[in-house]
Amino acid sequence: MKNRISSACLLPVILVLLTVAVQPVLAGKKDAVPAAQAQTLVWPLPPDKPRVRYVRQYSNNLDIEPRKKRSWVDKMVGNADPNHLELFSKPAGVAIDSRGRVIFASLQNSVVYILDPEAHKVSRLQGGRGIVLQTPLGVTVDSHDNIFVSDPLQHLVFKFDKEGNLLSSLGVSEGMKNPTFMAIDEARRRLYVVDSHLHQVLVYNLDTLQFMDKFGKRGEKKGEFNFPVGIAVAKDGTIAVTDTGSCSVQLFTPDFKFIRRFGQRGTRPGEFTRPKAVAFDKERNIWVVDAAFNNVQIFSDKGVVLMPLGAFGNTPGAFNLPLGIYIDGTDKVYISDQLNHRVQIFQFLGGN
């Protein structure tokens, strides 16, 4: 699907940064870029100062696990290649734990993958105690590396410990219908769960998993939702919620009072067609994934569009139906790229 934002998003060689319709506020002055740095994949292109750098991607188990050598005996007798390739099909929610493990749900494989780059190991969560994950979608991790997984088809959120053991579930008593993405506020010990069919955000005590509160209802007014999907929490407790039906992002205080809304349906910079996941970086910029535009737009905390990242394609930095996003404490950005079956990793270099 071709549109003005997609064609405007910046990808070296085959894609061009939108420099006329929207000058990136993050770009600042046109500082000189060293030759070595200019050869890396960055946004914006030189001579603008780079703000985002491509790091790498994970698309299958052999991107993590060491390849096994096929012995001469195997070759002689015609044994199969011992390296089984497992594609990370349709990755969705993504998060990082304290050990640097990359944790993400695969909608197509009905599994949550745990990638440990240092140990060169891939682990898998598929359920436990007689429960099998069906449509794992959202993933979030607390400070103890407990893993929370939403499963819309089962109308539940599951909690696993850091070793992958199923501990508990939540959502039955609240009549959870379609849990999507989640976020954790460690300071206030809260777990936020977006329910797109209830058009609400459900709030739980992170320690006891007891239901505490909820905010939002279906509607078009401030603080109301129309099929919300994504959620993120800033360090000060500010909550961002993507509202897919109204093609906007709404911000709330930690006590759920409406702050502002930005975005609307459209194809120009700062507008959306299918906003999904959302995340804050260390500078409080807000990154919003748009599955229809196949890009991520970066906004200030006031809702001013700063720059776009990505466009349709399968090259590094391009997307095909992106969905999830997570930004860690070092401003490393993880984006799930569904139909390219990969998680792409970028480094935010700062906007100052």
Side-chain angles (χ1 to χ4, degrees):
M1 174 178 170
K2 190 174 181 180
N3 54 70
R4 281 177 285 179
I5 290 184
S6 292
S7 62
C9 298
L10 188 156
L11 277 174
V13 182
I14 63 170
L15 304 170
V16 181
L17 175 67
L18 179 61
T19 57
V20 177
V22 53
Q23 286 290 339
V25 178
L26 289 178
K29 297 181 180 179
K30 293 186 177 182
D31 301 329
V33 179
Q37 191 174 6
Q39 293 174 2
T40 64
L41 191 57
V42 296
W43 295 261
L45 282 172
D48 288 315
K49 185 176 179 179
R51 303 300 178 180
V52 179
R53 175 173 55 85
Y54 174 81
V55 177
R56 66 161 303 157
Q57 67 179 31
Y58 295 120
S59 62
N60 61 74
N61 61 310
L62 298 182
D63 286 337
I64 293 289
E65 296 173 331
R67 292 180 178 269
K68 301 173 183 178
K69 290 185 178 180
R70 190 182 183 195
S71 70
W72 64 271
V73 174
D74 289 329
K75 294 177 182 177
M76 285 184 62
V77 300
N79 288 339
D81 188 335
N83 296 294
H84 169 68
L85 187 144
E86 183 177 354
L87 191 67
F88 298 147
S89 300
K90 295 188 70 173
V94 58
I96 310 301
D97 70 6
S98 66
R99 291 182 279 179
R101 300 186 304 174
V102 183
I103 304 170
F104 61 92
S106 169
L107 282 166
Q108 187 165 319
N109 295 349
S110 299
V111 64
V112 173
Y113 290 102
I114 304 174
L115 312 185
D116 190 335
E118 288 193 5
H120 304 287
K121 181 181 178 181
V122 178
S123 303
R124 297 157 185 81
L125 295 182
Q126 294 177 290
R129 299 186 181 184
I131 295 173
V132 178
L133 293 176
Q134 296 182 34
T135 53
L137 175 61
V139 173
T140 192
V141 180
D142 67 16
S143 59
H144 300 291
D145 291 342
N146 294 307
I147 303 167
F148 295 83
V149 181
S150 66
D151 192 326
L153 195 60
Q154 300 193 67
H155 320 294
L156 293 170
V157 169
F158 298 103
K159 179 182 178 180
F160 299 85
D161 67 18
K162 61 185 177 181
E163 304 304 328
N165 299 304
L166 180 60
L167 300 178
S168 56
S169 64
L170 59 145
V172 173
S173 60
E174 302 77 56
M176 194 179 285
K177 289 186 177 181
N178 196 68
T180 55
F181 288 117
M182 301 167 290
I184 287 175
D185 185 338
E186 288 283 356
R188 295 164 184 79
R189 308 305 296 165
R190 294 174 181 169
L191 169 68
Y192 296 108
V193 181
V194 176
D195 193 312
S196 65
H197 288 180
L198 291 177
H199 310 281
Q200 293 177 328
V201 176
L202 307 178
V203 187
Y204 295 86
N205 181 290
L206 184 58
D207 300 306
T208 66
L209 300 186
Q210 293 299 306
F211 177 72
M212 296 173 55
D213 209 340
K214 61 185 177 183
F215 63 95
K217 64 178 182 178
R218 189 166 193 183
E220 300 295 334
K221 297 178 182 177
K222 296 177 180 179
E224 297 179 344
F225 300 120
N226 187 13
F227 297 101
V229 173
I231 189 167
V233 180
K235 280 191 175 181
D236 67 354
T238 300
I239 306 163
V241 181
T242 58
D243 193 29
T244 301
S246 68
C247 293
S248 66
V249 176
Q250 296 193 57
L251 300 182
F252 299 85
T253 66
D255 54 355
F256 320 135
K257 289 183 171 54
F258 175 85
I259 300 174
R260 69 176 56 87
R261 181 202 299 263
F262 63 88
Q264 61 183 359
R265 186 178 303 279
T267 58
R268 296 178 298 179
E271 299 176 339
F272 304 109
T273 294
R274 210 184 308 165
K276 295 295 184 178
V278 60
F280 287 95
D281 63 31
K282 289 171 67 174
E283 296 180 4
R284 288 181 54 87
N285 299 313
I286 303 168
W287 300 53
V288 184
V289 175
D290 195 308
F293 289 161
N294 293 298
N295 76 353
V296 178
Q297 294 189 74
I298 307 173
F299 297 82
S300 73
D301 59 355
K302 304 298 183 185
V304 177
V305 62
L306 303 178
M307 65 174 284
L309 171 69
F312 176 74
N314 58 14
T315 56
F319 301 101
N320 189 353
L321 204 66
L323 180 57
I325 187 171
Y326 181 88
I327 303 178
D328 69 15
T330 66
D331 272 344
K332 208 173 248 78
V333 183
Y334 301 78
I335 302 173
S336 60
D337 189 9
Q338 282 191 91
L339 298 188
N340 284 325
H341 309 296
R342 63 187 179 182
V343 173
Q344 296 198 69
I345 305 172
F346 303 85
Q347 180 67 57
F348 177 55
L349 303 174
N352 296 325

